[in-house]
Amino acid sequence: MNRDRIHLKAPGNWINDPNGFIYYGGKYHLFYQYFPYAPVWGTMHWGHAVSEDLVNWEHLGVALFPTQCGDQNGCFSGSAVEHEGRMYLYYTGVHYHRADPRNIHLCPEDDFESAQMMIISEDGMHFDNFKDKSMVVPVMSDNGPGDMTHTRDPKVWRGKNGWYMVLGSKTQDNRGELLFYRSQDLMQWDYVNTASKENGLGWMWECPDYFEIPGGKVLIISPMGLLSEEPFEGNQTVCMPVEFDEDTCSMQIPDEYQYMDYGLDLYAPQTTTDAEGRRVLTAWLRMPEAVKGGWIGMFCIPRVVETEKGHIYFRVHPNIEKKYTRKISHPAQADSAGYRVSLALKEGERVSVGGYQISRKDGRICTDRSGVFPNNTAQCRKFRMQAATPEVKEGYRLDIYVDENLVEVFVNHGEYVISNAVYGLTKEIQTDSVGRIEIYSLEESD
């Protein structure tokens, strides 16, 4: 089986959204959207990986694949919960009304319907795709809430008054919308309420995730069409403190929001609670082209989500942080899992990490990857070369985690993060008047 450290990557071919992220049976299970036949988007399966520590990952192969009319054109994103020792997976099944005659994995003009489905596993390792699936929320009707085509990505959690499910959807006038359901047995789901914004915030809300942590209640959504700066990617992920009432499933969504990550490459995140009860997030890194070995798609470092005074922090998970203990003098001394660079970056200073440029200007952390990113296709040109945080408040510290195809810049222990896909990093670090720089690789035991 394929194994990864620090960053979970496609075992080959294509992956996108993380799914079914859960700590179950003493292991972290992370499923993911997977097309196992080529490094391109296609009919979705669920791949499956497990880890004991969020550091070392083992790929277990395909867990879900299409078998029923409701999911015959793909098992799309969803979540997992545990109940009475069993693992319940919820996902969106897609059925094309017609397929592209030259590529059956594509659907012209979004002519498909979506339903919410479930499969139960006794041990979280074995999944009978032929016997154990059921439809729990059917295709939306014309006169009901939601949209027949664009309703998807069930996130399920245990509340005080039962089980809850939130779906991403759209209104008839093309505004993002959430649909809330309640269940007492995880099988029968009753529609309760909706939530949306009058100003739209994109035309459809994908991958909703709601949770409560010390300091407040948080909503994360991935609005489609949030940005309209052609030719750049318009679908982005945002987060915000919210108010949610379980009895009525009413949610108050503020006008202001943060980007989950200011590199604008990460998308479709999912959270779970770790073994110590911390809220942990991972997300899909969008990449413009396959890398050597014929794979495309990977996930960011698992991040602990915390909130203070209305601001949401994304901090490196301590299991990851404590692994970088071997101090090295040069990136060439790091192993294949990459390295961490720690420094304080003051106003006007800059550092180049393998050709990835990081600077501090007007109180913001700014990055430029134009020297380590392809620009040879229209898909490549959808990616922004420069990124910047809002003005930082808490200091100058940067912790930069460097992988061959991903750089993650954590500002002031997660006040803001910039993550970017990269290609062709060198093994050099160059600075402009920057003070002390520390470089760490993984501990020797790894």
Side-chain angles (χ1 to χ4, degrees):
M1 290 293 181
N2 290 338
R3 296 178 185 272
D4 289 325
R5 285 181 296 169
I6 307 300
H7 295 104
L8 184 64
K9 303 177 180 180
N13 299 308
W14 171 279
I15 67 171
N16 55 285
D17 305 7
N19 298 153
F21 194 17
I22 188 173
Y23 184 69
Y24 171 92
K27 294 180 182 291
Y28 295 95
H29 294 251
L30 184 55
F31 302 84
Y32 48 84
Q33 294 287 273
Y34 183 36
F35 186 62
Y37 310 118
V40 296
W41 188 96
T43 300
M44 283 298 144
H45 301 49
W46 277 31
H48 186 191
V50 295
S51 173
E52 294 184 354
D53 56 6
L54 293 172
V55 176
N56 301 286
W57 292 93
E58 179 183 359
H59 289 274
L60 300 181
V62 173
L64 302 188
F65 55 88
T67 55
Q68 296 192 3
C69 183
D71 67 8
Q72 74 173 35
N73 297 108
C75 301
F76 283 78
S77 292
S79 58
V81 294
E82 178 180 359
H83 181 54
E84 297 180 345
R86 300 195 293 176
M87 181 187 289
Y88 290 68
L89 299 183
Y90 294 86
Y91 67 97
T92 298
V94 165
H95 177 95
Y96 291 174
H97 295 151
R98 60 190 178 100
D100 186 330
R102 296 183 61 83
N103 183 351
I104 62 170
H105 301 289
L106 302 179
C107 182
E109 299 177 353
D110 284 351
D111 189 10
F112 65 89
E113 60 186 36
S114 301
Q116 314 315 315
M117 304 184 68
M118 178 189 70
I119 185 170
I120 302 173
S121 171
E122 295 294 331
D123 60 2
M125 302 295 283
H126 300 90
F127 305 88
D128 191 331
N129 284 263
F130 295 96
K131 294 182 180 179
D132 293 338
K133 289 179 179 176
S134 58
M135 186 178 294
V136 293
V137 179
V139 177
M140 299 295 165
S141 63
D142 291 338
N143 58 359
D147 181 81
M148 178 182 72
T149 300
H150 296 292
T151 298
R152 52 181 171 269
D153 310 336
K155 181 63 189 288
V156 176
W157 73 95
R158 178 72 188 185
K160 298 176 183 177
N161 301 319
W163 295 93
Y164 291 82
M165 175 192 294
V166 61
L167 298 171
S169 190
K170 64 182 284 289
T171 65
Q172 292 184 355
D173 59 349
N174 293 319
R175 291 181 292 112
E177 180 179 50
L178 302 177
L179 308 181
F180 292 98
Y181 289 75
R182 185 188 291 122
S183 174
Q184 297 303 317
D185 60 5
L186 289 169
M187 303 290 289
Q188 177 65 44
W189 291 89
D190 298 316
Y191 166 73
V192 183
N193 210 341
T194 65
S196 62
K197 294 294 293 180
E198 289 187 3
N199 62 4
L201 199 63
W203 66 267
M204 189 269 166
W205 291 351
E206 292 195 291
C207 303
D209 198 339
Y210 166 76
F211 50 88
E212 185 171 355
I213 53 179
K217 303 173 182 179
V218 175
L219 173 69
I220 302 177
I221 53 176
S222 297
M224 302 185 76
L226 176 66
L227 303 179
S228 57
E229 305 168 44
E230 292 292 341
F232 299 124
E233 176 61 67
N235 303 339
Q236 296 295 337
T237 298
V238 300
C239 56
M240 62 208 75
V242 295
E243 292 298 328
F244 180 71
D245 180 79
E246 278 197 9
D247 292 333
T248 60
C249 285
S250 59
M251 179 174 284
Q252 298 177 27
I253 304 174
D255 292 329
E256 295 184 355
Y257 58 82
Q258 298 173 220
Y259 288 108
M260 178 199 68
D261 188 288
Y262 284 80
L264 303 185
D265 283 358
L266 294 183
Y267 193 68
Q270 188 165 109
T271 73
T272 189
T273 52
D274 70 5
E276 286 73 37
R278 292 172 291 224
R279 180 61 55 170
V280 183
L281 172 147
T282 192
W284 166 45
L285 177 73
R286 294 182 286 203
M287 304 171 69
E289 58 184 37
V291 303
K292 185 178 179 181
W295 62 268
I296 184 169
M298 59 187 291
F299 299 129
C300 69
I301 284 175
R303 305 170 180 187
V304 176
V305 187
E306 298 178 351
T307 182
E308 296 178 13
K309 299 179 180 179
H311 185 79
I312 301 168
Y313 293 75
F314 297 94
R315 310 187 193 277
V316 177
H317 193 280
N319 289 9
I320 303 289
E321 192 173 38
K322 70 183 181 182
K323 288 295 181 181
Y324 288 87
T325 58
R326 182 164 64 93
K327 195 169 184 179
I328 59 178
S329 58
H330 193 277
Q333 298 171 335
D335 66 11
S336 59
Y339 56 95
R340 187 189 85 205
V341 180
S342 296
L343 56 97
L345 197 65
K346 297 180 180 179
E347 183 68 24
E349 294 181 339
R350 61 184 297 169
V351 61
S352 171
V353 178
Y356 183 86
Q357 307 291 330
I358 308 169
S359 60
R360 187 183 181 105
K361 302 175 184 177
D362 300 323
R364 305 184 303 160
I365 299 300
C366 306
T367 63
D368 186 335
R369 60 164 165 199
S370 56
V372 286
F373 198 80
N375 191 32
N376 56 340
T377 66
Q379 179 64 22
C380 292
R381 287 188 285 273
K382 290 179 67 177
F383 287 74
R384 292 168 171 81
M385 294 301 102
Q386 289 81 35
T389 68
E391 185 174 352
V392 298
K393 302 178 178 63
E394 299 184 357
Y396 305 95
R397 180 180 173 86
L398 300 184
D399 291 291
I400 307 159
Y401 289 79
V402 185
D403 178 272
E404 185 177 6
N405 290 105
L406 172 60
V407 177
E408 297 167 274
V409 182
F410 289 82
V411 182
N412 298 327
H413 299 288
E415 180 186 352
Y416 298 110
V417 191
I418 294 178
S419 303
N420 281 140
V422 292
Y423 295 76
L425 287 175
T426 71
K427 294 291 187 178
E428 298 295 330
I429 295 178
Q430 298 177 343
T431 67
D432 180 9
S433 303
V434 176
R436 182 179 179 183
I437 295 178
E438 297 177 333
I439 310 173
Y440 298 90
S441 186
L442 294 181
E443 60 187 26
E444 292 285 359
S445 61
D446 281 340

